[in-house]
Amino acid sequence: MDLAKVEALAAAEAKWFRDGRPRSMEATSRAVETMPRGVPVSWMDELYDHPPLWVSHGTGSRFWDLDGHEYVDMYIADMSAFCGHAAAPVVRAVCERVAAGSQFLLPSQDALIVAEALAQRYGMAKWQFTLSATQANTEVVRIARVRTGRQKVVVFDGKYHGHLEPTLGIVEDGRVLPEYTGLPAEITAHLRIVPFNDLDAVERALAPGDVALLLTEPAMTNAGFLLPGPGFHDGLRELTRRHGTLLAIDETHTLVTAHSGLTTEWGLEPDLLTVGKSIAGGVPLGAYGMTDEVAEVLRPPAGGAAVSGIAYDEVATGGTLFANALSMAAARAALTEVLTPEAFINTARLGHQLAAGLRAGIDRAGLPWSVNVHGSHAFYFFSPEPPRDARGARDADDPGLRALIRLFLANRGVWESGWWLGPTVSVAHTSQDVAAYLDAIGEFTQAVA
Ligand code: PMP
């Protein structure tokens, strides 16, 4: 890659973004009055080295910003818009449900249908609902602790399972440290972090016999897209069983890559499984499935009704809006009408088109980059071979280059964002959308070759 060309391009693209096509400047300047760092959620500011796009609306595979710029959405809101923007069955279900009341703190019939649909799809017997995948993982950790009578949790380096304290650590020189400020130092006492694809390290982490839960994605999606090596999942299951540790698979992201998740596609046998993001077509919902055996811990408490301030014999789960009628109606529509087997056949086909096009563009430009793909999600690494673990992914990463690609694509009406790049198609994408993306990224690879 020609670094002089990259630098010149970066300056030109930033100028184009800021001056040539001003984006939401009024919103951007007003936001600083009411929002720290000028964005509704402060981390959004870290993500971009330019003012945020303020979105107006979206439909299918596209969205528009406040100034009317149109984007082909290849980020799909970190997989949470996998149903496509404003998917018609979800819109219909949500409108009907809102008009009929959306929150009762009582179960609606849709909750039954959704639990049955999830059980059938992901092969876990019993289901519970939350409002996000973070909360689903939070409850899964608690259930595992109750079930095993142990405290410790093992996760993989480069993981992200949401902002739940038990997993918010990083590993540096073999020591686990809090990942952010605002976390008590003690959280690290209960957390072990090991490299993905390293069964020896997993064995060492489990060997003391004090680990309640090993929480993993089937393929890691938050440090690039890291695929498990042959035998890795078999080894994980064997080791967790041998050491009395429960195994939870987080399919929040990977559920977009296969109709019944990678758990079913790869024949995995977790004790718990979490989902979220796209399963209610953009309406907040998280859920977790359990085996019958694990679900036993949610038995009715012996000690009668809870009163705040008194110790209570029940696992710490729940929330007022969990399983609200709106989330349930949206999930019913999403699962039964949008996330169909046919839809996944199409997204896998487009995923292949994506990966083949990316590889062709990279080859044409002679760049030493590589591509991983599964189903609807592809990822390009700035290294000749896809890494096996997060350390390899970090070594191969180049945040400056990523920022430039994001800007370059945005200037050409393509949105690919996130901490890690890597395009994902939604159920609403077409072959033409993928071709538009490949044209833009192909132009980039040629420009820096
Ligand atoms: N699990 C995984 C694998 C994720 O990537 C994320 C979010 N990126 C979460 C859980 C948490 O999802 P949410 O922020 O919707 O709670």
PDB file of all heavy atoms in Angstrom, residues 43 75 77-80 131-137 159-164 216-219 221-222 250-254 274-277 285-286 419, ligand 1:
ATOM      1  N   TRP A  43     -20.296   7.042  23.624  1.00  0.00           N
ATOM      2  CA  TRP A  43     -19.325   6.276  22.846  1.00  0.00           C
ATOM      3  C   TRP A  43     -19.461   6.471  21.349  1.00  0.00           C
ATOM      4  O   TRP A  43     -18.550   6.203  20.586  1.00  0.00           O
ATOM      5  CB  TRP A  43     -19.338   4.791  23.197  1.00  0.00           C
ATOM      6  CG  TRP A  43     -20.671   4.093  23.119  1.00  0.00           C
ATOM      7  CD1 TRP A  43     -21.385   3.646  24.182  1.00  0.00           C
ATOM      8  CD2 TRP A  43     -21.424   3.731  21.951  1.00  0.00           C
ATOM      9  NE1 TRP A  43     -22.551   3.040  23.747  1.00  0.00           N
ATOM     10  CE2 TRP A  43     -22.593   3.078  22.388  1.00  0.00           C
ATOM     11  CE3 TRP A  43     -21.231   3.892  20.574  1.00  0.00           C
ATOM     12  CZ2 TRP A  43     -23.567   2.595  21.512  1.00  0.00           C
ATOM     13  CZ3 TRP A  43     -22.197   3.418  19.706  1.00  0.00           C
ATOM     14  CH2 TRP A  43     -23.346   2.776  20.168  1.00  0.00           C
ATOM     15  N   TYR A  75     -23.711  -1.770   7.353  1.00  0.00           N
ATOM     16  CA  TYR A  75     -23.365  -1.997   8.758  1.00  0.00           C
ATOM     17  C   TYR A  75     -24.569  -2.565   9.507  1.00  0.00           C
ATOM     18  O   TYR A  75     -24.434  -3.265  10.508  1.00  0.00           O
ATOM     19  CB  TYR A  75     -22.901  -0.664   9.360  1.00  0.00           C
ATOM     20  CG  TYR A  75     -22.524  -0.714  10.814  1.00  0.00           C
ATOM     21  CD1 TYR A  75     -21.625  -1.667  11.291  1.00  0.00           C
ATOM     22  CD2 TYR A  75     -23.043   0.212  11.714  1.00  0.00           C
ATOM     23  CE1 TYR A  75     -21.279  -1.696  12.634  1.00  0.00           C
ATOM     24  CE2 TYR A  75     -22.692   0.187  13.047  1.00  0.00           C
ATOM     25  CZ  TYR A  75     -21.814  -0.773  13.503  1.00  0.00           C
ATOM     26  OH  TYR A  75     -21.478  -0.792  14.832  1.00  0.00           O
ATOM     27  N   ALA A  77     -26.611  -1.409  11.578  1.00  0.00           N
ATOM     28  CA  ALA A  77     -26.703  -1.125  13.012  1.00  0.00           C
ATOM     29  C   ALA A  77     -26.088  -2.245  13.847  1.00  0.00           C
ATOM     30  O   ALA A  77     -26.693  -2.733  14.797  1.00  0.00           O
ATOM     31  CB  ALA A  77     -28.157  -0.872  13.415  1.00  0.00           C
ATOM     32  N   ASP A  78     -24.879  -2.615  13.471  1.00  0.00           N
ATOM     33  CA  ASP A  78     -24.163  -3.675  14.189  1.00  0.00           C
ATOM     34  C   ASP A  78     -25.039  -4.930  14.253  1.00  0.00           C
ATOM     35  O   ASP A  78     -25.179  -5.552  15.311  1.00  0.00           O
ATOM     36  CB  ASP A  78     -23.775  -3.200  15.591  1.00  0.00           C
ATOM     37  CG  ASP A  78     -22.588  -3.984  16.153  1.00  0.00           C
ATOM     38  OD1 ASP A  78     -21.866  -4.627  15.365  1.00  0.00           O
ATOM     39  OD2 ASP A  78     -22.396  -3.965  17.383  1.00  0.00           O
ATOM     40  N   MET A  79     -25.597  -5.274  13.132  1.00  0.00           N
ATOM     41  CA  MET A  79     -26.413  -6.490  12.919  1.00  0.00           C
ATOM     42  C   MET A  79     -27.832  -6.379  13.461  1.00  0.00           C
ATOM     43  O   MET A  79     -28.637  -7.277  13.237  1.00  0.00           O
ATOM     44  CB  MET A  79     -25.758  -7.734  13.524  1.00  0.00           C
ATOM     45  CG  MET A  79     -24.277  -7.809  13.361  1.00  0.00           C
ATOM     46  SD  MET A  79     -23.778  -9.274  12.490  1.00  0.00           S
ATOM     47  CE  MET A  79     -22.008  -9.100  12.568  1.00  0.00           C
ATOM     48  N   SER A  80     -28.147  -5.290  14.169  1.00  0.00           N
ATOM     49  CA  SER A  80     -29.467  -5.228  14.799  1.00  0.00           C
ATOM     50  C   SER A  80     -30.569  -4.859  13.809  1.00  0.00           C
ATOM     51  O   SER A  80     -31.749  -5.000  14.122  1.00  0.00           O
ATOM     52  CB  SER A  80     -29.459  -4.255  15.977  1.00  0.00           C
ATOM     53  OG  SER A  80     -29.160  -2.957  15.539  1.00  0.00           O
ATOM     54  N   LEU A 131     -34.759  -6.973  27.765  1.00  0.00           N
ATOM     55  CA  LEU A 131     -34.895  -5.926  26.741  1.00  0.00           C
ATOM     56  C   LEU A 131     -33.658  -5.812  25.865  1.00  0.00           C
ATOM     57  O   LEU A 131     -33.644  -5.036  24.917  1.00  0.00           O
ATOM     58  CB  LEU A 131     -35.162  -4.578  27.404  1.00  0.00           C
ATOM     59  CG  LEU A 131     -36.604  -4.351  27.869  1.00  0.00           C
ATOM     60  CD1 LEU A 131     -36.719  -3.017  28.575  1.00  0.00           C
ATOM     61  CD2 LEU A 131     -37.579  -4.404  26.698  1.00  0.00           C
ATOM     62  N   SER A 132     -32.616  -6.540  26.202  1.00  0.00           N
ATOM     63  CA  SER A 132     -31.393  -6.450  25.398  1.00  0.00           C
ATOM     64  C   SER A 132     -30.564  -7.710  25.592  1.00  0.00           C
ATOM     65  O   SER A 132     -30.772  -8.463  26.552  1.00  0.00           O
ATOM     66  CB  SER A 132     -30.553  -5.234  25.824  1.00  0.00           C
ATOM     67  OG  SER A 132     -30.028  -5.462  27.116  1.00  0.00           O
ATOM     68  N   ALA A 133     -29.626  -7.892  24.696  1.00  0.00           N
ATOM     69  CA  ALA A 133     -28.705  -9.023  24.825  1.00  0.00           C
ATOM     70  C   ALA A 133     -27.820  -8.871  26.051  1.00  0.00           C
ATOM     71  O   ALA A 133     -27.480  -9.851  26.717  1.00  0.00           O
ATOM     72  CB  ALA A 133     -27.848  -9.134  23.562  1.00  0.00           C
ATOM     73  N   THR A 134     -27.456  -7.622  26.361  1.00  0.00           N
ATOM     74  CA  THR A 134     -26.664  -7.384  27.574  1.00  0.00           C
ATOM     75  C   THR A 134     -27.379  -7.962  28.790  1.00  0.00           C
ATOM     76  O   THR A 134     -26.792  -8.670  29.612  1.00  0.00           O
ATOM     77  CB  THR A 134     -26.465  -5.863  27.795  1.00  0.00           C
ATOM     78  OG1 THR A 134     -25.777  -5.324  26.677  1.00  0.00           O
ATOM     79  CG2 THR A 134     -25.697  -5.574  29.065  1.00  0.00           C
ATOM     80  N   GLN A 135     -28.666  -7.633  28.887  1.00  0.00           N
ATOM     81  CA  GLN A 135     -29.427  -8.113  30.052  1.00  0.00           C
ATOM     82  C   GLN A 135     -29.608  -9.626  30.008  1.00  0.00           C
ATOM     83  O   GLN A 135     -29.637 -10.281  31.056  1.00  0.00           O
ATOM     84  CB  GLN A 135     -30.785  -7.408  30.104  1.00  0.00           C
ATOM     85  CG  GLN A 135     -30.652  -5.928  30.415  1.00  0.00           C
ATOM     86  CD  GLN A 135     -31.895  -5.133  30.037  1.00  0.00           C
ATOM     87  OE1 GLN A 135     -32.686  -5.533  29.188  1.00  0.00           O
ATOM     88  NE2 GLN A 135     -32.075  -4.001  30.679  1.00  0.00           N
ATOM     89  N   ALA A 136     -29.730 -10.181  28.817  1.00  0.00           N
ATOM     90  CA  ALA A 136     -29.842 -11.643  28.719  1.00  0.00           C
ATOM     91  C   ALA A 136     -28.550 -12.282  29.232  1.00  0.00           C
ATOM     92  O   ALA A 136     -28.578 -13.237  30.026  1.00  0.00           O
ATOM     93  CB  ALA A 136     -30.114 -12.057  27.273  1.00  0.00           C
ATOM     94  N   ASN A 137     -27.405 -11.731  28.822  1.00  0.00           N
ATOM     95  CA  ASN A 137     -26.135 -12.289  29.297  1.00  0.00           C
ATOM     96  C   ASN A 137     -25.949 -12.078  30.799  1.00  0.00           C
ATOM     97  O   ASN A 137     -25.382 -12.923  31.489  1.00  0.00           O
ATOM     98  CB  ASN A 137     -24.965 -11.675  28.511  1.00  0.00           C
ATOM     99  CG  ASN A 137     -24.844 -12.271  27.124  1.00  0.00           C
ATOM    100  OD1 ASN A 137     -25.074 -13.471  26.937  1.00  0.00           O
ATOM    101  ND2 ASN A 137     -24.509 -11.462  26.130  1.00  0.00           N
ATOM    102  N   LYS A 159     -13.645 -10.359  23.178  1.00  0.00           N
ATOM    103  CA  LYS A 159     -15.109 -10.561  23.259  1.00  0.00           C
ATOM    104  C   LYS A 159     -15.842  -9.244  23.454  1.00  0.00           C
ATOM    105  O   LYS A 159     -15.276  -8.264  23.926  1.00  0.00           O
ATOM    106  CB  LYS A 159     -15.479 -11.483  24.431  1.00  0.00           C
ATOM    107  CG  LYS A 159     -14.900 -11.072  25.789  1.00  0.00           C
ATOM    108  CD  LYS A 159     -15.572  -9.901  26.441  1.00  0.00           C
ATOM    109  CE  LYS A 159     -14.658  -9.226  27.460  1.00  0.00           C
ATOM    110  NZ  LYS A 159     -14.567  -7.829  27.375  1.00  0.00           N
ATOM    111  N   TYR A 160     -17.090  -9.246  23.092  1.00  0.00           N
ATOM    112  CA  TYR A 160     -18.023  -8.261  23.627  1.00  0.00           C
ATOM    113  C   TYR A 160     -19.358  -8.965  23.794  1.00  0.00           C
ATOM    114  O   TYR A 160     -19.884  -9.537  22.843  1.00  0.00           O
ATOM    115  CB  TYR A 160     -18.171  -7.029  22.719  1.00  0.00           C
ATOM    116  CG  TYR A 160     -19.025  -5.968  23.376  1.00  0.00           C
ATOM    117  CD1 TYR A 160     -18.553  -5.254  24.467  1.00  0.00           C
ATOM    118  CD2 TYR A 160     -20.321  -5.722  22.941  1.00  0.00           C
ATOM    119  CE1 TYR A 160     -19.343  -4.302  25.105  1.00  0.00           C
ATOM    120  CE2 TYR A 160     -21.117  -4.773  23.583  1.00  0.00           C
ATOM    121  CZ  TYR A 160     -20.622  -4.069  24.656  1.00  0.00           C
ATOM    122  OH  TYR A 160     -21.406  -3.140  25.298  1.00  0.00           O
ATOM    123  N   HIS A 161     -19.869  -8.945  25.012  1.00  0.00           N
ATOM    124  CA  HIS A 161     -21.168  -9.566  25.270  1.00  0.00           C
ATOM    125  C   HIS A 161     -22.148  -8.547  25.845  1.00  0.00           C
ATOM    126  O   HIS A 161     -23.185  -8.930  26.381  1.00  0.00           O
ATOM    127  CB  HIS A 161     -21.007 -10.746  26.242  1.00  0.00           C
ATOM    128  CG  HIS A 161     -20.150 -11.848  25.689  1.00  0.00           C
ATOM    129  ND1 HIS A 161     -20.574 -12.668  24.661  1.00  0.00           N
ATOM    130  CD2 HIS A 161     -18.891 -12.255  25.985  1.00  0.00           C
ATOM    131  CE1 HIS A 161     -19.623 -13.544  24.369  1.00  0.00           C
ATOM    132  NE2 HIS A 161     -18.587 -13.304  25.143  1.00  0.00           N
ATOM    133  N   GLY A 162     -21.796  -7.247  25.747  1.00  0.00           N
ATOM    134  CA  GLY A 162     -22.629  -6.207  26.325  1.00  0.00           C
ATOM    135  C   GLY A 162     -21.946  -5.614  27.541  1.00  0.00           C
ATOM    136  O   GLY A 162     -20.882  -6.064  27.964  1.00  0.00           O
ATOM    137  N   HIS A 163     -22.598  -4.577  28.085  1.00  0.00           N
ATOM    138  CA  HIS A 163     -21.979  -3.854  29.203  1.00  0.00           C
ATOM    139  C   HIS A 163     -22.348  -4.466  30.545  1.00  0.00           C
ATOM    140  O   HIS A 163     -22.851  -3.779  31.436  1.00  0.00           O
ATOM    141  CB  HIS A 163     -22.369  -2.381  29.121  1.00  0.00           C
ATOM    142  CG  HIS A 163     -21.269  -1.552  28.528  1.00  0.00           C
ATOM    143  ND1 HIS A 163     -20.566  -1.938  27.408  1.00  0.00           N
ATOM    144  CD2 HIS A 163     -20.719  -0.379  28.919  1.00  0.00           C
ATOM    145  CE1 HIS A 163     -19.646  -1.032  27.138  1.00  0.00           C
ATOM    146  NE2 HIS A 163     -19.711  -0.079  28.032  1.00  0.00           N
ATOM    147  N   LEU A 164     -22.108  -5.752  30.697  1.00  0.00           N
ATOM    148  CA  LEU A 164     -22.370  -6.397  31.989  1.00  0.00           C
ATOM    149  C   LEU A 164     -21.059  -6.553  32.726  1.00  0.00           C
ATOM    150  O   LEU A 164     -20.065  -7.045  32.176  1.00  0.00           O
ATOM    151  CB  LEU A 164     -23.073  -7.750  31.816  1.00  0.00           C
ATOM    152  CG  LEU A 164     -22.429  -8.828  30.973  1.00  0.00           C
ATOM    153  CD1 LEU A 164     -22.872 -10.188  31.470  1.00  0.00           C
ATOM    154  CD2 LEU A 164     -22.797  -8.641  29.512  1.00  0.00           C
ATOM    155  N   THR A 216     -19.197 -17.568  25.284  1.00  0.00           N
ATOM    156  CA  THR A 216     -18.506 -17.337  24.014  1.00  0.00           C
ATOM    157  C   THR A 216     -19.493 -17.134  22.886  1.00  0.00           C
ATOM    158  O   THR A 216     -20.633 -17.601  22.955  1.00  0.00           O
ATOM    159  CB  THR A 216     -17.578 -18.522  23.663  1.00  0.00           C
ATOM    160  OG1 THR A 216     -16.887 -18.236  22.436  1.00  0.00           O
ATOM    161  CG2 THR A 216     -18.360 -19.831  23.479  1.00  0.00           C
ATOM    162  N   GLU A 217     -19.051 -16.439  21.853  1.00  0.00           N
ATOM    163  CA  GLU A 217     -19.768 -16.486  20.583  1.00  0.00           C
ATOM    164  C   GLU A 217     -19.295 -17.741  19.842  1.00  0.00           C
ATOM    165  O   GLU A 217     -18.154 -18.171  20.030  1.00  0.00           O
ATOM    166  CB  GLU A 217     -19.427 -15.271  19.744  1.00  0.00           C
ATOM    167  CG  GLU A 217     -19.903 -13.954  20.290  1.00  0.00           C
ATOM    168  CD  GLU A 217     -19.585 -12.837  19.302  1.00  0.00           C
ATOM    169  OE1 GLU A 217     -18.466 -12.298  19.358  1.00  0.00           O
ATOM    170  OE2 GLU A 217     -20.433 -12.512  18.471  1.00  0.00           O
ATOM    171  N   PRO A 218     -20.121 -18.271  18.950  1.00  0.00           N
ATOM    172  CA  PRO A 218     -19.663 -19.431  18.177  1.00  0.00           C
ATOM    173  C   PRO A 218     -18.498 -19.066  17.252  1.00  0.00           C
ATOM    174  O   PRO A 218     -17.534 -19.818  17.117  1.00  0.00           O
ATOM    175  CB  PRO A 218     -20.890 -19.854  17.375  1.00  0.00           C
ATOM    176  CG  PRO A 218     -21.935 -18.831  17.581  1.00  0.00           C
ATOM    177  CD  PRO A 218     -21.518 -17.921  18.695  1.00  0.00           C
ATOM    178  N   ALA A 219     -18.595 -17.890  16.632  1.00  0.00           N
ATOM    179  CA  ALA A 219     -17.479 -17.292  15.893  1.00  0.00           C
ATOM    180  C   ALA A 219     -17.392 -15.872  16.423  1.00  0.00           C
ATOM    181  O   ALA A 219     -18.423 -15.232  16.617  1.00  0.00           O
ATOM    182  CB  ALA A 219     -17.769 -17.286  14.401  1.00  0.00           C
ATOM    183  N   THR A 221     -17.204 -12.007  16.715  1.00  0.00           N
ATOM    184  CA  THR A 221     -17.578 -10.947  15.769  1.00  0.00           C
ATOM    185  C   THR A 221     -17.168  -9.557  16.217  1.00  0.00           C
ATOM    186  O   THR A 221     -17.473  -8.580  15.544  1.00  0.00           O
ATOM    187  CB  THR A 221     -19.110 -10.922  15.595  1.00  0.00           C
ATOM    188  OG1 THR A 221     -19.692 -10.648  16.878  1.00  0.00           O
ATOM    189  CG2 THR A 221     -19.640 -12.224  15.046  1.00  0.00           C
ATOM    190  N   ASN A 222     -16.519  -9.468  17.362  1.00  0.00           N
ATOM    191  CA  ASN A 222     -16.200  -8.132  17.867  1.00  0.00           C
ATOM    192  C   ASN A 222     -14.711  -7.840  17.886  1.00  0.00           C
ATOM    193  O   ASN A 222     -14.257  -6.874  18.510  1.00  0.00           O
ATOM    194  CB  ASN A 222     -16.803  -7.944  19.264  1.00  0.00           C
ATOM    195  CG  ASN A 222     -18.318  -7.800  19.197  1.00  0.00           C
ATOM    196  OD1 ASN A 222     -18.830  -6.878  18.567  1.00  0.00           O
ATOM    197  ND2 ASN A 222     -19.041  -8.722  19.804  1.00  0.00           N
ATOM    198  N   ASP A 250     -23.373 -17.109  22.885  1.00  0.00           N
ATOM    199  CA  ASP A 250     -23.995 -15.819  22.600  1.00  0.00           C
ATOM    200  C   ASP A 250     -24.161 -15.705  21.085  1.00  0.00           C
ATOM    201  O   ASP A 250     -23.192 -15.496  20.355  1.00  0.00           O
ATOM    202  CB  ASP A 250     -23.088 -14.712  23.156  1.00  0.00           C
ATOM    203  CG  ASP A 250     -23.643 -13.314  22.927  1.00  0.00           C
ATOM    204  OD1 ASP A 250     -24.583 -13.163  22.137  1.00  0.00           O
ATOM    205  OD2 ASP A 250     -23.102 -12.373  23.550  1.00  0.00           O
ATOM    206  N   GLU A 251     -25.398 -15.824  20.632  1.00  0.00           N
ATOM    207  CA  GLU A 251     -25.681 -15.771  19.183  1.00  0.00           C
ATOM    208  C   GLU A 251     -26.235 -14.408  18.753  1.00  0.00           C
ATOM    209  O   GLU A 251     -26.800 -14.285  17.664  1.00  0.00           O
ATOM    210  CB  GLU A 251     -26.693 -16.859  18.804  1.00  0.00           C
ATOM    211  CG  GLU A 251     -26.156 -18.275  18.839  1.00  0.00           C
ATOM    212  CD  GLU A 251     -25.735 -18.826  17.471  1.00  0.00           C
ATOM    213  OE1 GLU A 251     -25.503 -18.027  16.541  1.00  0.00           O
ATOM    214  OE2 GLU A 251     -25.644 -20.061  17.366  1.00  0.00           O
ATOM    215  N   THR A 252     -26.053 -13.412  19.621  1.00  0.00           N
ATOM    216  CA  THR A 252     -26.625 -12.086  19.334  1.00  0.00           C
ATOM    217  C   THR A 252     -26.251 -11.580  17.942  1.00  0.00           C
ATOM    218  O   THR A 252     -27.101 -11.053  17.217  1.00  0.00           O
ATOM    219  CB  THR A 252     -26.144 -11.083  20.400  1.00  0.00           C
ATOM    220  OG1 THR A 252     -26.549 -11.573  21.671  1.00  0.00           O
ATOM    221  CG2 THR A 252     -26.713  -9.707  20.165  1.00  0.00           C
ATOM    222  N   HIS A 253     -24.989 -11.715  17.586  1.00  0.00           N
ATOM    223  CA  HIS A 253     -24.550 -11.298  16.254  1.00  0.00           C
ATOM    224  C   HIS A 253     -24.660 -12.435  15.243  1.00  0.00           C
ATOM    225  O   HIS A 253     -25.142 -12.236  14.135  1.00  0.00           O
ATOM    226  CB  HIS A 253     -23.081 -10.849  16.298  1.00  0.00           C
ATOM    227  CG  HIS A 253     -22.910  -9.398  16.627  1.00  0.00           C
ATOM    228  ND1 HIS A 253     -21.672  -8.845  16.867  1.00  0.00           N
ATOM    229  CD2 HIS A 253     -23.800  -8.392  16.747  1.00  0.00           C
ATOM    230  CE1 HIS A 253     -21.817  -7.559  17.113  1.00  0.00           C
ATOM    231  NE2 HIS A 253     -23.095  -7.261  17.062  1.00  0.00           N
ATOM    232  N   THR A 254     -24.164 -13.597  15.641  1.00  0.00           N
ATOM    233  CA  THR A 254     -24.028 -14.679  14.653  1.00  0.00           C
ATOM    234  C   THR A 254     -25.362 -15.228  14.186  1.00  0.00           C
ATOM    235  O   THR A 254     -25.409 -15.942  13.183  1.00  0.00           O
ATOM    236  CB  THR A 254     -23.176 -15.829  15.233  1.00  0.00           C
ATOM    237  OG1 THR A 254     -23.691 -16.150  16.534  1.00  0.00           O
ATOM    238  CG2 THR A 254     -21.718 -15.437  15.338  1.00  0.00           C
ATOM    239  N   THR A 274     -27.873 -17.114  24.215  1.00  0.00           N
ATOM    240  CA  THR A 274     -28.481 -15.776  24.245  1.00  0.00           C
ATOM    241  C   THR A 274     -28.642 -15.216  22.836  1.00  0.00           C
ATOM    242  O   THR A 274     -27.834 -15.479  21.943  1.00  0.00           O
ATOM    243  CB  THR A 274     -27.648 -14.791  25.095  1.00  0.00           C
ATOM    244  OG1 THR A 274     -26.297 -14.806  24.647  1.00  0.00           O
ATOM    245  CG2 THR A 274     -27.703 -15.131  26.553  1.00  0.00           C
ATOM    246  N   VAL A 275     -29.712 -14.428  22.683  1.00  0.00           N
ATOM    247  CA  VAL A 275     -29.956 -13.721  21.423  1.00  0.00           C
ATOM    248  C   VAL A 275     -30.442 -12.307  21.756  1.00  0.00           C
ATOM    249  O   VAL A 275     -30.813 -12.017  22.898  1.00  0.00           O
ATOM    250  CB  VAL A 275     -31.006 -14.433  20.538  1.00  0.00           C
ATOM    251  CG1 VAL A 275     -30.464 -15.723  19.969  1.00  0.00           C
ATOM    252  CG2 VAL A 275     -32.313 -14.678  21.281  1.00  0.00           C
ATOM    253  N   GLY A 276     -30.463 -11.447  20.749  1.00  0.00           N
ATOM    254  CA  GLY A 276     -30.948 -10.074  20.947  1.00  0.00           C
ATOM    255  C   GLY A 276     -30.895  -9.339  19.633  1.00  0.00           C
ATOM    256  O   GLY A 276     -31.005  -9.948  18.568  1.00  0.00           O
ATOM    257  N   LYS A 277     -30.713  -8.027  19.717  1.00  0.00           N
ATOM    258  CA  LYS A 277     -30.561  -7.161  18.541  1.00  0.00           C
ATOM    259  C   LYS A 277     -31.663  -7.359  17.509  1.00  0.00           C
ATOM    260  O   LYS A 277     -32.736  -6.822  17.658  1.00  0.00           O
ATOM    261  CB  LYS A 277     -29.167  -7.346  17.941  1.00  0.00           C
ATOM    262  CG  LYS A 277     -28.073  -6.863  18.888  1.00  0.00           C
ATOM    263  CD  LYS A 277     -26.800  -6.478  18.190  1.00  0.00           C
ATOM    264  CE  LYS A 277     -25.798  -5.929  19.200  1.00  0.00           C
ATOM    265  NZ  LYS A 277     -24.578  -5.484  18.601  1.00  0.00           N
ATOM    266  N   LEU A 285     -35.366  -6.112  22.425  1.00  0.00           N
ATOM    267  CA  LEU A 285     -35.675  -7.437  22.982  1.00  0.00           C
ATOM    268  C   LEU A 285     -34.384  -8.251  23.091  1.00  0.00           C
ATOM    269  O   LEU A 285     -33.581  -8.282  22.166  1.00  0.00           O
ATOM    270  CB  LEU A 285     -36.662  -8.194  22.075  1.00  0.00           C
ATOM    271  CG  LEU A 285     -37.011  -9.616  22.563  1.00  0.00           C
ATOM    272  CD1 LEU A 285     -37.760  -9.583  23.890  1.00  0.00           C
ATOM    273  CD2 LEU A 285     -37.841 -10.370  21.530  1.00  0.00           C
ATOM    274  N   GLY A 286     -34.208  -8.887  24.220  1.00  0.00           N
ATOM    275  CA  GLY A 286     -33.172  -9.903  24.382  1.00  0.00           C
ATOM    276  C   GLY A 286     -33.847 -11.155  24.894  1.00  0.00           C
ATOM    277  O   GLY A 286     -34.956 -11.093  25.442  1.00  0.00           O
ATOM    278  N   TRP A 419     -16.621  -0.369  15.272  1.00  0.00           N
ATOM    279  CA  TRP A 419     -15.230  -0.388  15.707  1.00  0.00           C
ATOM    280  C   TRP A 419     -14.421  -1.205  14.729  1.00  0.00           C
ATOM    281  O   TRP A 419     -13.280  -0.946  14.463  1.00  0.00           O
ATOM    282  CB  TRP A 419     -15.121  -1.014  17.098  1.00  0.00           C
ATOM    283  CG  TRP A 419     -15.567  -0.099  18.168  1.00  0.00           C
ATOM    284  CD1 TRP A 419     -14.768   0.737  18.888  1.00  0.00           C
ATOM    285  CD2 TRP A 419     -16.891   0.113  18.639  1.00  0.00           C
ATOM    286  NE1 TRP A 419     -15.525   1.450  19.779  1.00  0.00           N
ATOM    287  CE2 TRP A 419     -16.816   1.090  19.655  1.00  0.00           C
ATOM    288  CE3 TRP A 419     -18.121  -0.421  18.302  1.00  0.00           C
ATOM    289  CZ2 TRP A 419     -17.947   1.529  20.336  1.00  0.00           C
ATOM    290  CZ3 TRP A 419     -19.238   0.016  18.979  1.00  0.00           C
ATOM    291  CH2 TRP A 419     -19.141   0.981  19.980  1.00  0.00           C
TER     292      TRP A 419
HETATM  293  N1  PMP B   1     -23.473  -9.965  22.518  1.00  0.00           N
HETATM  294  C1  PMP B   1     -22.744  -9.654  21.439  1.00  0.00           C
HETATM  295  C2  PMP B   1     -21.994 -10.731  20.724  1.00  0.00           C
HETATM  296  C3  PMP B   1     -22.689  -8.343  20.988  1.00  0.00           C
HETATM  297  O1  PMP B   1     -21.933  -8.039  19.923  1.00  0.00           O
HETATM  298  C4  PMP B   1     -23.413  -7.356  21.677  1.00  0.00           C
HETATM  299  C5  PMP B   1     -23.413  -5.894  21.215  1.00  0.00           C
HETATM  300  N2  PMP B   1     -22.589  -5.549  20.208  1.00  0.00           N
HETATM  301  C6  PMP B   1     -24.154  -7.724  22.791  1.00  0.00           C
HETATM  302  C7  PMP B   1     -24.175  -9.028  23.186  1.00  0.00           C
HETATM  303  C8  PMP B   1     -24.937  -6.705  23.567  1.00  0.00           C
HETATM  304  O2  PMP B   1     -26.028  -6.279  22.833  1.00  0.00           O
HETATM  305  P1  PMP B   1     -26.874  -5.037  23.345  1.00  0.00           P
HETATM  306  O3  PMP B   1     -25.959  -3.861  23.313  1.00  0.00           O
HETATM  307  O4  PMP B   1     -27.980  -4.936  22.342  1.00  0.00           O
HETATM  308  O5  PMP B   1     -27.338  -5.353  24.712  1.00  0.00           O
END
